């Protein structure tokens, strides 16, 4: 779902990601959140950024 009338931003603290900028922002226009493998327990550790690429 897109939000064309909103001023969205993506903040990220994962400095090892290729899309992380020095000001703590993600340089992608959108992110994909996906479940970790074999983890479907409903905890916050279940999801991860699907766009992660190491620098």
């Amino acid at each position: 779902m897109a939000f064309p009338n909103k001023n969205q931003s993506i903040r990220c603290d994962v400095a090892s990601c290729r899309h992380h900028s020095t000001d703590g922002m993600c340089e992608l226009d959108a992110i994909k959140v996906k479940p970790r493998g074999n983890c479907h327990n409903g905890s916050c550790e279940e999801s991860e950024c699907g766009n992660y690429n190491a620098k």
Side-chain angles (χ1 to χ4, degrees):
M1 174 185 238
F3 297 98
N5 298 326
K6 303 281 184 178
N7 188 8
Q8 301 278 326
S9 64
I10 304 170
R11 301 207 178 266
C12 179
D13 294 331
V14 184
S16 64
C17 183
R18 174 178 304 170
H19 307 295
H20 180 267
S21 65
T22 56
D23 62 355
M25 299 294 290
C26 178
E27 295 177 339
L28 293 169
D29 292 330
I31 62 168
K32 179 180 181 179
V33 176
K34 66 179 188 176
R36 290 184 179 184
N38 299 320
C39 181
H40 301 283
N41 60 11
S43 73
C44 63
E45 290 85 19
E46 182 177 340
S47 63
E48 62 185 22
C49 179
N51 301 98
Y52 176 81
N53 285 309
K55 285 185 178 179

